[in-house]
C-alpha cells in the first residue's frame, strides 16, 4: 500500500494555503485483492465481454452446502462443517470447477463464448459463486423454461430436485400469514413476495424476465409442511419460489461490511474506510491461505494503456531515477506504434488492426515490454504465421474532462460540432432581451446614451469574465478548460467571483425593505425574526426549522431576514430545492447548483458536495452568516447530510454544519420523514 498526496494546492494563488487543510489521500491500489479499485477492474473487464458479445445469457449462483456428502464423510467424530473450513473450501473449489467444466466443456447450455465468476462469503462464513455465461447461440424466449424454472418441481418425475427446491428455495411465509417475518416492512414484503402467477415467461421487464409461475389450476405444484411456531400446516405454491436480479456490477459488488463503531476518519483515507467494518470469515481466510482465486474468467482481458506522447505513468526509485529521466518506460501503446513500424509481415499486419484488437493476434511480454505474435489459435486464412485467439483488449477509460483527446474523438465522429450551439445563440439573439443574453455592448450604449459605441477589447474581456463566472458557478472550472480564451483579470478575482456576487446588493433598496417590512411582522414572525438575528449576532452557529405551510408569510419573513443581514455587510446565502422557489428569493439559487450536489445523491448515503476547498463558493460558505434553504422538505435527507459533511470539512469544525447557522423552511408536517430530525435532534431549535 502506498501513501499518495494529491497536488491539491496546484491552484493555490497566494501561496498561503496550508496543504494540511486539503488533506492527504491514502489509496488501495487495484493490485490489492478485494479493494474498490480491484473490483472496479473486474467490472470493467466484464463490460468488455458485454461490449463484444452483448449481455450475458445466464447468471448462476452456486452456494456451498455444508451437508454435502464429500464434506460429511471426511469429518472426524464429533466434528461439524464449521470446525473444518479447509474441507468446505477445498470441496467447494472442486465442485465449482466441475460445474464450470459441465457448462463450458460439456456445453449443456450450448457452446460458450466467455464466462466469469466471483467468490463471495456469506456472513455465516460459507462461500458462494456468482457466475456469468455468454453463449454462442442466444437463448430464445421459448427456450427459457427449458433452462430456468421458478416453479416447484414435480415430485413424481424428480424427487431429488423437489427436495432441494422445497428446502432451499422457498420464501416465507410472510404477509398475512406472518406479519412478523423479517422481510416485512411497512406491512409489505420488501422482497415483493408473493410473486404473481403467470402461465408463460415474459421477457423485457426492466431488462429481466418474469418467469413462468403456474397456478395449480394450470399445472403448477404445491407442497405442505409444518413450520415452527405455526399451529397448522402451511401450503406453498409457485408464489413463493425465490428468484434474483443480476447484472455485471452485482457479480463484482465486493465484500459485505459491518460497521461496528462510529469514529472520525480521514475522508480521503481509502485504507481506513476499507478496514472500517471489514471482516474476514474463517473460511475466507483459509481460501486465501490456500491461494484459491477469488475471480476466474475466460477468455483473458488484456488491459491496454492510453496516454498522450510521453504522458505514460512513471515510477521513480533512487536506483532508476536517471534512467527514467532519459528514457520513458515502454507501454502497450508505445509498443503498438513500434510494432506497426516493423517492415516484416507482423508489422504490416499490425497496421490493419485497431489498438483494441491487438491482443487477439499478439501477446504482451511483460519482461521485454513488447508485443509478440501468438503461436497458437485459429490460423489466419491468408497470412502465414498469424494466429487469432479469444483474448480481448480493454482500453483504460479516458475521462471526458481530459479535453486533449477530443481531436481523436472528432476524427472518429464521436462528438458533435458546435453548429447547434451557434444556431441556438442566433435564435436567442433574435428572441431574447439584451438583459437576458447579457448584451455587454447594449448595456454600455444605454449607460452612456450613445448608440455609436462599437466593440472594444475591454468589452470583449468583460464578456469573457461574465461567461467564466457562469462556468465557475455551474462546474467550478475556469473558461480555458472548455477551450475558450481566459479573461484578463486578477487571479484572485476568479476565486472571489462568488463573494463579489453576494456583496453586490443595493443597500438603499435593502434599507427600504427593512423599513417597510418590520412593522408588518406578526407576533410569531417577530419572535422568529428576533431569535434568528440574535443567533447571527452571536456567531455561534445554530440550526433552525421554519415550519410554514403555503400562504402563511414564509417568503415575506425570509426576504426580510436576507435584507437585514445583507444590510449589515454580511453574507446571507439563499437557496431553494426547486427553481421556482429560488426565483422568489432575492439572490436565490437552487441547492443543487449552489452546493454542487451529486445528481444521484439519493443513491449516495456518504456523498460530499463537489466543492473544492480553495474555490470561490467554498469561501462564500465559510463567510456566510446564515444559509437559508427554502422548501428543504422537497430535498432528500442525503442532500442535507452531504452539506453537513462538506461544511464540517470546509470549516475544519466537527460541529453540526461546521458551526454555521442554517435555516430550513418548508411544510414539515406533510413531509416530516424527509428531514433527518433524529440525526440532529440534540441541536434543533424549532420555530
Amino acid at each position: 500500500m502506498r501513501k499518495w498526496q494529491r497536488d491539491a494546492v496546484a491552484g493555490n494563488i497566494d501561496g498561503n494555503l496550508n496543504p494540511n487543510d486539503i488533506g492527504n489521500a491514502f489509496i488501495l491500489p487495484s493490485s490489492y485483492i478485494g479493494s474498490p479499485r480491484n473490483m472496479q477492474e473486474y467490472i470493467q473487464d466484464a463490460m468488455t465481454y458485454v461490449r463484444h458479445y452483448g449481455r450475458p445469457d445466464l447468471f448462476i449462483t452456486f452456494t456451498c452446502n455444508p451437508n454435502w456428502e464429500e464434506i460429511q464423510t471426511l469429518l472426524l467424530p464429533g466434528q461439524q462443517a464449521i470446525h473444518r473450513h479447509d474441507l468446505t473450501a477445498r470441496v467447494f473449489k472442486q465442485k465449482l470447477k466441475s460445474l464450470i467444466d459441465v457448462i463450458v466443456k460439456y456445453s449443456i447450455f450450448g457452446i460458450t463464448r466467455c464466462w466469469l465468476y466471483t467468490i463471495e462469503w456469506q456472513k455465516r462464513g460459507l462461500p458462494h459463486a456468482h457466475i456469468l455465461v455468454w453463449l454462442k447461440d442466444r437463448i430464445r424466449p421459448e427456450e427459457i423454461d427449458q433452462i430456468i424454472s421458478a416453479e416447484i418441481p414435480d415430485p413424481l418425475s424428480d424427487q431429488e430436485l423437489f427436495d432441494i427446491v422445497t428446502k432451499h428455495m422457498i420464501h416465507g411465509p410472510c404477509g398475512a400469514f406472518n406479519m412478523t417475518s423479517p422481510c416485512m416492512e411497512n406491512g409489505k414484503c420488501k422482497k415483493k413476495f408473493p410473486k404473481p402467477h403467470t402461465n408463460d415467461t415474459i421477457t423485457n421487464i426492466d431488462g429481466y424476465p418474469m418467469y413462468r409461475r403456474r397456478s395449480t389450476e394450470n399445472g403448477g405444484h404445491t407442497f405442505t409442511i409444518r413450520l415452527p411456531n405455526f399451529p397448522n400446516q402451511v401450503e406453498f405454491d409457485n408464489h413463493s419460489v425465490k428468484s434474483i436480479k443480476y447484472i455485471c456490477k452485482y457479480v463484482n459488488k465486493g465484500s459485505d461490511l459491518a460497521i461496528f463503531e462510529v469514529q472520525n476518519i480521514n475522508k480521503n483515507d481509502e485504507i481506513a474506510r476499507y478496514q472500517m467494518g471489514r471482516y474476514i470469515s474463517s473460511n475466507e481466510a483459509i481460501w486465501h491461505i490456500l491461494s484459491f482465486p477469488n475471480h476466474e474468467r475466460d477468455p483473458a482481458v488484456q488491459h491496454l494503456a492510453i496516454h498522450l506522447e510521453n504522458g505514460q505513468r512513471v515510477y521513480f526509485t533512487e536506483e532508476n531515477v536517471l534512467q527514467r529521466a532519459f528514457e520513458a518506460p515502454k507501454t502497450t501503446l508505445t509498443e503498438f506504434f513500434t510494432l506497426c513500424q516493423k517492415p516484416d509481415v507482423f508489422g504490416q499486419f499490425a497496421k490493419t488492426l485497431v489498438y483494441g484488437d491487438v491482443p487477439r493476434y499478439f501477446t504482451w511480454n511483460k519482461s521485454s515490454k513488447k508485443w509478440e505474435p501468438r503461436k497458437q489459435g485459429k490460423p489466419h486464412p491468408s497470412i502465414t504465421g498469424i494466429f487469432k485467439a479469444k483474448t480481448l483488449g480493454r482500453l483504460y477509460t479516458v475521462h471526458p474532462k481530459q479535453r486533449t483527446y477530443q481531436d481523436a474523438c472528432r476524427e472518429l465522429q464521436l462528438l458533435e460540432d458546435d453548429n447547434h450551439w451557434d444556431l441556438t445563440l442566433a435564435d436567442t439573439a433574435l428572441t431574447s432581451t439584451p438583459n437576458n443574453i447579457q448584451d455587454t455592448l447594449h448595456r454600455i450604449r444605454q449607460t452612456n446614451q450613445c448608440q455609436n459605441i462599437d466593440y472594444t477589447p475591454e468589452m470583449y474581456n468583460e464578456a469573457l469574465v461574465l461567461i467564466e463566472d457562469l462556468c465557475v458557478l455551474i462546474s467550478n472550472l475556469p473558461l480555458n478548460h472548455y477551450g475558450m480564451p481566459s479573461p484578463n483579470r486578477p487571479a484572485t478575482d476568479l476565486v472571489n467571483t462568488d463573494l463579489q456576487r453576494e456583496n453586490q446588493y443595493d443597500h438603499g433598496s435593502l434599507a427600504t425593505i427593512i423599513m417597510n417590512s418590520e412593522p408588518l411582522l406578526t407576533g410569531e414572525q417577530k419572535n422568529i425574526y428576533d431569535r434568528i438575528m440574535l443567533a447571527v449576532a452571536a456567531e455561534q452557529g445554530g440550526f433552525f426549522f421554519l415550519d410554514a405551510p403555503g400562504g402563511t408569510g414564509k417568503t415575506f419573513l425570509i426576504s426580510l431576514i436576507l435584507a437585514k443581514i445583507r444590510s449589515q455587510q454580511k453574507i446571507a446565502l439563499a437557496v431553494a430545492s426547486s427553481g421556482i422557489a429560488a426565483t422568489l428569493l432575492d439572490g436565490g439559487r437552487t441547492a443543487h447548483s449552489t452546493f454542487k450536489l451529486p445528481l444521484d445523491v439519493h443513491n449516495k448515503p456518504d456523498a460530499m458536495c463537489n466543492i473544492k476547498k480553495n474555490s470561490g463558493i467554498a469561501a462564500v460558505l465559510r463567510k456566510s452568516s446564515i444559509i437559508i434553504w427554502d422548501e428543504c422538505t422537497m430535498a432528500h435527507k442525503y442532500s442535507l447530510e452531504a452539506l453537513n459533511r462538506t461544511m464540517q470539512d470546509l470549516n475544519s469544525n466537527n460541529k453540526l454544519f461546521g458551526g454555521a447557522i442554517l435555516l430550513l423552511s418548508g411544510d414539515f408536517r406533510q413531509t416530516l420523514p424527509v428531514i433527518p430530525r433524529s440525526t440532529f435532534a440534540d441541536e434543533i431549535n424549532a420555530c
Side-chain angles (χ1 to χ4, degrees):
M1 302 178 187
R2 296 177 179 267
K3 173 183 175 182
W4 300 80
Q5 184 171 12
R6 293 176 180 163
D7 189 13
V9 295
N12 182 17
I13 297 172
D14 58 10
N16 296 322
L17 188 63
N18 185 355
N20 294 325
D21 292 339
I22 301 299
N24 293 328
F26 300 82
I27 71 167
L28 277 172
S30 59
S31 57
Y32 187 87
I33 296 176
S35 69
R37 285 181 172 81
N38 178 253
M39 303 308 297
Q40 184 64 28
E41 282 206 345
Y42 282 108
I43 293 172
Q44 295 298 328
D45 290 348
M47 294 307 297
T48 300
Y49 292 160
V50 174
R51 186 173 68 252
H52 281 82
Y53 302 121
R55 293 188 299 178
D57 296 276
L58 296 173
F59 174 93
I60 302 171
T61 298
F62 182 63
T63 305
C64 177
N65 187 345
N67 294 320
W68 278 334
E69 182 181 355
E70 293 84 352
I71 296 176
Q72 293 296 320
T73 55
L74 293 176
L75 293 175
L76 298 177
Q79 285 186 338
Q80 298 179 12
I82 59 173
H83 301 134
R84 295 293 303 275
H85 292 288
D86 58 329
L87 279 181
T88 56
R90 292 180 185 276
V91 171
F92 179 75
K93 177 65 172 63
Q94 292 175 355
K95 282 185 171 286
L96 177 59
K97 182 180 183 300
S98 299
L99 175 62
I100 297 296
D101 288 344
V102 168
I103 296 172
V104 178
K105 294 183 179 180
Y106 295 97
S107 304
I108 62 170
F109 300 119
I111 299 175
T112 60
R113 290 185 181 273
C114 51
W115 58 270
L116 62 87
Y117 73 73
T118 295
I119 306 295
E120 292 181 357
W121 279 264
Q122 302 166 345
K123 289 183 174 63
R124 57 177 176 163
L126 292 175
H128 62 278
H130 295 306
I131 309 168
L132 291 179
V133 180
W134 284 257
L135 301 176
K136 181 179 180 181
D137 297 322
R138 310 293 294 187
I139 298 176
R140 296 188 297 272
E142 63 270 18
E143 297 175 331
I144 293 178
D145 292 331
Q146 303 173 22
I147 299 174
I148 302 174
S149 175
E151 295 187 317
I152 298 171
D154 185 356
L156 299 179
S157 60
D158 197 334
Q159 181 65 45
E160 183 180 7
L161 182 60
F162 175 84
D163 293 338
I164 292 174
V165 171
T166 56
K167 183 177 181 181
H168 300 288
M169 294 300 295
I170 300 298
H171 178 84
C174 63
F177 291 100
N178 183 15
M179 296 299 293
T180 61
S181 175
C183 65
M184 296 298 292
E185 190 174 88
N186 297 325
K188 296 181 180 180
C189 174
K190 59 185 177 182
K191 304 295 184 181
K192 298 183 180 179
F193 282 95
K195 303 288 185 179
H197 279 139
T198 177
N199 293 331
D200 300 291
T201 296
I202 303 174
T203 59
N204 200 29
I205 303 297
D206 294 330
Y208 306 106
M210 181 183 292
Y211 296 119
R212 181 178 68 182
R213 295 173 180 271
R214 292 172 294 181
S215 63
T216 53
E217 293 80 7
N218 292 304
H221 299 282
T222 65
F223 74 100
T224 304
I225 60 174
R226 185 182 299 278
L227 298 175
N229 302 323
F230 277 81
N232 301 318
Q233 290 186 332
V234 179
E235 183 180 67
F236 291 91
D237 61 9
N238 290 328
H239 278 131
S240 306
V241 181
K242 292 181 180 179
S243 62
I244 193 169
K245 292 184 177 181
Y246 22 91
I247 53 176
C248 290
K249 189 172 182 179
Y250 176 83
V251 173
N252 299 290
K253 61 184 174 62
S255 303
D256 290 334
L257 300 176
I259 298 178
F260 50 83
E261 181 180 359
V262 178
Q263 55 182 336
N264 293 324
I265 63 171
N266 183 356
K267 296 181 178 64
N268 294 324
D269 192 340
E270 292 183 7
I271 300 174
R273 290 171 57 189
Y274 180 79
Q275 291 176 333
M276 186 179 69
R278 178 79 170 96
Y279 69 90
I280 299 179
S281 66
S282 300
N283 193 276
E284 183 177 359
I286 286 290
W287 191 274
H288 290 297
I289 290 173
L290 296 176
S291 298
F292 290 161
N294 279 32
H295 311 270
E296 282 195 298
R297 65 192 178 196
D298 185 73
V301 177
Q302 173 70 51
H303 298 169
L304 302 174
I306 181 72
H307 56 81
L308 297 177
E309 185 177 5
N310 294 324
Q312 57 264 58
R313 181 175 296 177
V314 180
Y315 295 96
F316 293 99
T317 63
E318 293 182 359
E319 293 77 19
N320 71 359
V321 60
L322 292 178
Q323 179 185 358
R324 288 288 182 263
F326 290 101
E327 181 182 1
K330 299 176 181 179
T331 68
T332 56
L333 180 60
T334 60
E335 292 312 292
F336 170 58
F337 296 139
T338 302
L339 175 64
C340 293
Q341 294 171 358
K342 291 184 177 181
D344 57 16
V345 63
F346 301 114
Q348 296 303 311
F349 176 72
K351 289 182 178 179
T352 67
L353 301 175
V354 295
Y355 183 36
D357 288 339
V358 174
R360 286 181 174 266
Y361 302 93
F362 297 87
T363 60
W364 175 249
N365 189 318
K366 293 184 178 180
S367 301
S368 60
K369 300 291 184 182
K370 66 179 182 179
W371 291 105
E372 297 176 348
R374 291 191 176 275
K375 303 295 192 297
Q376 296 179 341
K378 183 179 179 180
H380 194 279
S382 59
I383 305 178
T384 304
I386 298 295
F387 297 90
K388 181 180 180 180
K390 298 196 316 182
T391 303
L392 302 177
R394 174 170 75 82
L395 276 68
Y396 283 103
T397 303
V398 175
H399 197 278
K401 287 187 176 181
Q402 296 177 281
R403 301 180 61 85
T404 51
Y405 296 91
Q406 281 197 357
D407 291 341
C409 293
R410 288 195 180 96
E411 187 68 22
L412 295 172
Q413 298 182 350
L414 299 177
L415 297 178
E416 295 180 349
D417 57 27
D418 291 338
N419 182 56
H420 66 293
W421 293 111
D422 295 335
L423 294 175
T424 301
L425 289 173
D427 180 68
T428 302
L430 294 174
T431 60
S432 299
T433 64
N435 186 49
N436 289 337
I437 60 176
Q438 294 182 338
D439 192 332
T440 303
L441 177 61
H442 175 80
R443 178 176 54 80
I444 293 177
R445 285 175 175 175
Q446 292 295 105
T447 302
N448 294 275
Q449 296 181 351
C450 179
Q451 297 299 316
N452 295 326
I453 298 177
D454 205 351
Y455 284 109
T456 64
E458 290 76 15
M459 295 182 197
Y460 179 75
N461 184 69
E462 183 179 348
L464 290 178
V465 170
L466 293 173
I467 297 173
E468 187 168 66
D469 289 347
L470 291 175
C471 293
V472 173
L473 176 65
I474 296 173
S475 63
N476 227 14
L477 293 171
L479 196 57
N480 59 10
H481 181 82
Y482 298 97
M484 295 182 65
S486 297
N488 182 17
R489 64 197 299 176
T492 54
D493 282 354
L494 180 61
V495 178
N496 295 326
T497 298
D498 293 279
L499 279 174
Q500 293 173 0
R501 179 186 184 277
E502 297 301 327
N503 289 316
Q504 66 180 2
Y505 297 100
D506 182 15
H507 291 278
S509 299
L510 296 177
T512 301
I513 294 174
I514 297 170
M515 181 179 63
N516 294 334
S517 300
E518 280 187 338
L520 302 179
L521 291 173
T522 66
E524 187 177 9
Q525 290 174 334
K526 185 68 165 57
N527 179 47
I528 298 171
Y529 178 65
D530 291 341
R531 291 182 63 183
I532 291 177
M533 296 311 302
L534 183 62
V536 171
E539 296 183 350
Q540 295 180 352
F543 192 32
F544 296 87
F545 285 116
L546 178 56
D547 187 5
T552 57
K554 169 173 59 71
T555 304
F556 168 77
L557 177 59
I558 292 176
S559 299
L560 176 57
I561 294 173
L562 291 172
K564 183 67 173 179
I565 296 174
R566 289 165 177 169
S567 69
Q568 299 172 352
Q569 306 292 330
K570 297 178 179 179
I571 293 178
L573 193 61
V575 302
S577 297
S578 67
I580 295 177
T583 60
L584 300 177
L585 304 177
D586 189 15
R589 290 181 286 175
T590 63
H592 267 276
S593 65
T594 303
F595 300 138
K596 307 296 186 294
L597 293 169
L599 294 178
D600 57 343
V601 68
H602 57 282
N603 292 325
K604 297 180 178 180
D606 299 322
M608 292 280 289
C609 300
N610 185 25
I611 296 176
K612 297 180 181 178
K613 204 163 187 176
N614 56 349
S615 65
I617 188 61
V620 170
L621 291 173
R622 280 193 292 263
K623 293 177 178 294
S624 293
S625 296
I626 189 171
I627 300 173
I628 299 178
W629 191 336
D630 193 18
E631 301 295 351
C632 68
T633 52
M634 296 173 60
H636 197 280
K637 70 173 184 178
Y638 291 165
S639 300
L640 282 168
E641 293 173 358
L643 178 61
N644 178 47
R645 285 186 286 268
T646 302
M647 292 296 295
Q648 289 176 339
D649 179 56
L650 294 178
N651 292 330
S652 300
N653 188 330
N654 291 328
K655 289 184 178 180
L656 193 65
F657 292 98
I661 297 178
L662 191 70
L663 171 61
L664 302 180
S665 67
D667 189 353
F668 292 92
R669 289 173 292 182
Q670 294 184 3
T671 53
L672 183 60
V674 178
I675 301 301
R677 284 179 176 262
S678 59
T679 306
F680 309 130
D682 57 327
E683 298 194 43
I684 288 177
N685 295 316
C687 297

